Amino acid sequence: TRRSSDLVSKMIFQILKQSGKKVWVYTSPHLIDIRERFETDRWLISKSDFMGYAKQIIKYGDNLSYFEKCALLAFLYFRDQWCEYSVIEVGMWWRLDATNIIKPILSVITSIGYDHMEFLWDSLEKIAAEKWGIIKTNIPVILYGKNETLEAIAREKNSKIILPKKEK
């Protein structure tokens, strides 16, 4: 099953794509083929491009995690293909995540839940504290649902907080 972050990433991607923008999306995990993680407005990354970038990344050795290697592949591929927008889904280690090297124009936190609890923490408060890494200074952040921890961090970073209204 897909998580809410996957669905939101794909929705933003489709909105930009339907608006005629040259857009790429990087998500995880993949369901069948690893190339599903690297999608452009017209296609998945080709097998030959994927293998070419994978060979480049191998030279970095074992110092990178699987997710970091996938993120690096996405960054290199998207850079070389040129795009107007990249939709990048953050991994579960928000504060320490490989995607934190990017300066976004908008951040979205879909929910704070117990997914990945075996890797992260045992309380929603601790999980929220881990997710603060996605909130960047002076970058607007959409929060799905109120969360005092995340809102305090956003205010501290001078990030505009957007709380969508739930439809009835």
Side-chain angles (χ1 to χ4, degrees), residues 109 111-112 124-125 127-129 135 143-155 161 163:
I109 299 178
S111 65
I112 303 296
L124 291 180
E125 188 64 28
I127 292 170
I135 301 171
L143 299 175
Y144 178 77
K146 294 189 67 59
N147 183 289
E148 290 180 23
T149 302
L150 295 175
E151 290 177 47
I153 291 165
R155 284 191 295 277
I161 301 167
L163 295 167

Side-chain angles (χ1 to χ4, degrees), residues 53-64:
Y53 284 98
K55 286 176 185 174
Q56 288 181 43
I57 292 167
I58 288 171
K59 69 182 177 186
Y60 291 99
D62 293 331
N63 296 331
L64 300 176

Side-chain angles (χ1 to χ4, degrees), residues 15-83:
I15 290 167
L16 291 168
K17 180 179 168 180
Q18 294 302 317
S19 299
K21 304 298 182 190
K22 194 167 186 179
V23 61
W24 279 238
V25 63
Y26 170 65
T27 59
S28 69
H30 57 278
L31 297 178
I32 298 169
D33 183 332
I34 190 171
R35 296 179 309 124
E36 295 168 20
R37 294 174 180 239
F38 318 96
E39 187 175 350
T40 74
D41 54 348
R42 295 187 190 101
W43 58 78
L44 296 180
I45 186 173
S46 71
K47 289 181 181 179
S48 61
D49 280 346
F50 178 82
M51 292 306 297
Y53 284 98
K55 286 176 185 174
Q56 288 181 43
I57 292 167
I58 288 171
K59 69 182 177 186
Y60 291 99
D62 293 331
N63 296 331
L64 300 176
S65 70
Y66 177 77
F67 184 83
E68 289 168 331
K69 289 175 184 174
C70 288
L72 178 57
L73 194 149
F75 299 156
L76 293 173
Y77 179 65
F78 295 169
R79 178 202 64 197
D80 292 349
Q81 297 298 312
W82 189 85
C83 63

Side-chain angles (χ1 to χ4, degrees), residues 102-144:
I102 294 172
K103 182 178 179 184
I105 59 172
L106 174 69
S107 296
V108 180
I109 299 178
T110 56
S111 65
I112 303 296
Y114 288 109
D115 55 332
H116 302 308
M117 197 170 83
E118 67 274 15
F119 302 107
L120 294 172
W121 311 108
D122 58 0
S123 75
L124 291 180
E125 188 64 28
K126 289 178 183 176
I127 292 170
E130 183 64 35
K131 289 191 174 191
W132 71 263
I134 194 174
I135 301 171
K136 308 294 187 220
T137 302
N138 298 318
I139 304 294
V141 60
I142 297 174
L143 299 175
Y144 178 77

